[in-house]
């Protein structure tokens, strides 16, 4: 009997310490004892935890609002942890209204390094720190709108799939808030790896059969580098840059950052709809005598076998420098070559109106 009493005297404090430890862990490292919804109900705490990709308690500040009569969303999330060596992390969720092709007009390797997804939800993931999703047309009362989720802290990294899922979840909740009649978006179950720079096949740039740069444009470049997805997808972009010879004094190395050009093709109907709603988009052809629509001669929408397809080219500094050389083709010729060669890769077999 005395032995049992001693064991109880030892066990009770240990159990109490374990319970206290569990309570501290749940209180400071998880949201089990906290709010299930954050930012006025537009963010799921569980989705936010998955995006942060680490143990920690998530809190939010902000929520739905009205900006110039339009629905908006702005929320800051904090992830704090009592575990040693765990810095506080911060994430920003917000909406943006912009030109429907905004994601494809920045140019450079950063644009090409985005991994896009399309289907039940359309959006993109930038490495391991930002994701966004476009709202469907039924939810728009004006220009294209995106719901963005970005990790703002330099320390740590977000889970790519979780980040996309957080943006999609917030978009669905915003859609409910707006009471728009559209199917709920579904987050992708996986995200392709971030495209990395590689040596290009000069006669098959961006993986497009027959697509090349004219010799008058490449100058003394030893080789061509590119950043491109591995397969044809509804949201596609490719960055092309020239590598100069070691004894070349100049321009190529200095202008390497923006490269030669960044090419894009879009066949996602949600994005196409946003493009056509944008300010500056015109049904009148930006290319004289050609049956296309768009913003200008290098940002157009063509009809390819009944499917609306957006083609774009962003000029890099290397291309601008090439114009100083005699006989170097201008942007219109280079863009036409791209459309002619890339079109068939996207099922566009009759795009003469955009390419002649």
């Amino acid at each position: 009997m005395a032995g049992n009493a001693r064991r109880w005297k030892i066990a009770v404090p240990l159990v109490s310490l374990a319970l206290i430890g569990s309570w501290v862990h749940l209180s400071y490292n998880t949201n089990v004892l906290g709010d299930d919804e954050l930012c006025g109900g537009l963010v799921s705490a569980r989705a936010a935890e998955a995006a942060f990709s680490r143990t920690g308690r998530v809190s939010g500040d902000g929520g739905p609002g009205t900006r110039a009569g339009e629905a908006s969303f702005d929320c800051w999330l904090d992830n704090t942890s009592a575990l040693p060596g765990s810095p506080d992390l911060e994430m920003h969720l917000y909406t943006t209204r912009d030109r429907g092709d905004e994601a494809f007009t920045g140019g450079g390797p950063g644009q090409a390094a985005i991994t896009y997804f399309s289907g039940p939800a359309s959006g993109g993931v930038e490495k391991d720190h930002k994701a966004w999703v476009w709202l469907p047309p039924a939810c728009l009362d004006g220009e294209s709108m995106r719901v963005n989720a970005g990790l703002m802290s330099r320390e740590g990294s977000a889970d790519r799939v979780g980040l996309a899922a957080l943006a999609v979840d917030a978009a669905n909740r915003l859609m409910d808030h707006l009471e728009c009649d559209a199917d709920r978006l579904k987050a992708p179950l996986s995200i392709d790896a971030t495209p990395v720079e590689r040596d290009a096949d000069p006669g098959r740039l961006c993986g497009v059969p027959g697509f090349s740069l004219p010799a008058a444009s490449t100058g003394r470049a030893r080789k061509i580098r590119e950043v491109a997805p591995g397969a044809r997808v509804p949201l596609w972009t490719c960055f092309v840059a020239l590598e100069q010879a070691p004894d070349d004094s100049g321009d190529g190395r200095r202008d390497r950052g923006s490269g030669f050009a960044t090419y894009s093709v879009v066949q996602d109907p949600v994005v196409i709809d946003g493009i056509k709603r944008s300010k500056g988009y015109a049904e009148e052809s930006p290319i004289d005598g050609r049956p296309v629509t768009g913003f200008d001669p290098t940002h157009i929408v063509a009809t390819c076998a009944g499917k609306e397809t957006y083609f774009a080219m962003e000029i890099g500094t290397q291309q601008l420098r090439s114009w100083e050389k005699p006989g170097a083709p201008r942007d219109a010729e280079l863009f036409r070559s791209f459309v002619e060669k890339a079109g068939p890769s996207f099922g566009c077999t009759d795009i003469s109106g955009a390419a002649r």
Side-chain angles (χ1 to χ4, degrees):
M1 296 289 292
N4 289 337
R6 282 195 299 271
R7 283 193 290 271
W8 273 107
K9 288 181 180 180
I10 295 172
V12 169
L14 291 177
V15 171
S16 298
L17 288 174
L19 291 174
I20 292 172
S22 297
W23 181 85
V24 170
H25 172 71
L26 293 175
S27 297
Y28 293 94
N29 295 323
T30 74
N31 273 61
V32 171
L33 301 178
D35 296 329
D36 293 330
E37 297 181 339
L38 307 169
C39 300
L42 290 182
V43 174
S44 160
R46 179 174 296 182
E49 284 183 293
F52 275 113
S53 187
R54 74 162 197 183
T55 300
R57 186 176 182 83
V58 181
S59 58
D61 179 27
T66 301
R67 179 177 57 214
E70 300 172 351
S72 64
F73 175 78
D74 196 289
C75 171
W76 290 86
L77 300 176
D78 293 308
N79 180 291
T80 57
S81 175
L83 297 177
S86 298
D88 293 349
L89 299 179
E90 189 174 46
M91 191 174 293
H92 189 199
L93 275 80
Y94 58 100
T95 55
T96 52
R97 283 188 180 271
D98 44 37
R99 215 172 91 164
D101 62 345
E102 179 72 18
F104 306 97
T105 59
Q111 176 183 317
I114 296 170
T115 304
Y116 295 98
F117 52 91
S118 178
S122 300
V125 178
E126 296 182 29
K127 297 183 179 179
D128 57 4
H129 64 273
K130 184 177 181 181
W132 73 83
V133 62
W134 281 278
L135 286 187
C139 300
L140 303 178
D141 59 359
E143 285 196 289
S144 176
M145 177 182 281
R146 288 187 286 174
V147 174
N148 308 268
L151 184 68
M152 307 304 292
S153 308
R154 293 185 177 181
E155 303 90 348
S157 60
D159 179 84
R160 285 161 56 81
V161 174
L163 201 57
L166 176 60
V168 169
D169 181 74
N172 280 325
R173 290 166 179 263
L174 180 59
M175 288 162 56
D176 291 340
H177 178 73
L178 297 174
E179 299 181 346
C180 66
D181 184 16
D183 293 337
R184 292 186 66 80
L185 307 179
K186 295 181 181 179
L189 299 178
S190 62
I191 300 292
D192 291 340
T194 300
V196 296
E197 189 170 306
R198 66 194 183 197
D199 286 345
D201 180 341
R204 191 185 175 93
L205 291 183
C206 304
V208 176
F211 181 42
S212 61
L213 299 181
S217 295
T218 57
R220 300 174 62 187
R222 290 183 297 167
K223 59 184 177 181
I224 302 175
R225 302 279 287 174
E226 65 184 19
V227 181
R232 182 184 66 81
V233 288
L235 299 165
W236 181 96
T237 188
C238 174
F239 168 73
V240 173
L242 308 177
E243 289 291 346
Q244 301 301 120
D247 60 346
D248 193 322
S249 60
D251 302 331
R253 279 184 252 175
R254 185 173 62 194
D255 302 327
R256 178 63 172 76
S258 65
F260 187 84
T262 307
Y263 302 95
S264 299
V265 184
V266 174
Q267 290 187 318
D268 184 291
V270 171
V271 182
I272 292 290
D273 184 275
I275 288 173
K276 298 182 73 172
R277 290 173 179 262
S278 299
K279 295 177 181 177
Y281 177 87
E283 294 295 335
E284 293 79 15
S285 175
I287 303 176
D288 290 342
R290 307 304 178 214
V292 297
T293 59
F295 299 101
D296 55 57
T298 57
H299 298 83
I300 65 169
V301 174
T303 301
C304 305
K307 180 180 291 186
E308 290 186 306
T309 305
Y310 167 83
F311 294 93
M313 181 182 74
E314 297 300 318
I315 297 173
T317 312
Q318 289 180 333
Q319 185 181 148
L320 291 175
R321 295 282 184 186
S322 76
W323 295 351
E324 299 171 1
K325 303 169 185 176
R330 298 294 172 156
D331 54 345
E333 297 173 74
L334 293 167
F335 181 64
R336 182 172 63 247
S337 174
F338 166 64
V339 173
E340 288 178 339
K341 300 301 182 182
S345 295
F346 289 84
C348 302
T349 57
D350 183 17
I351 51 175
S352 57
R356 281 181 183 168

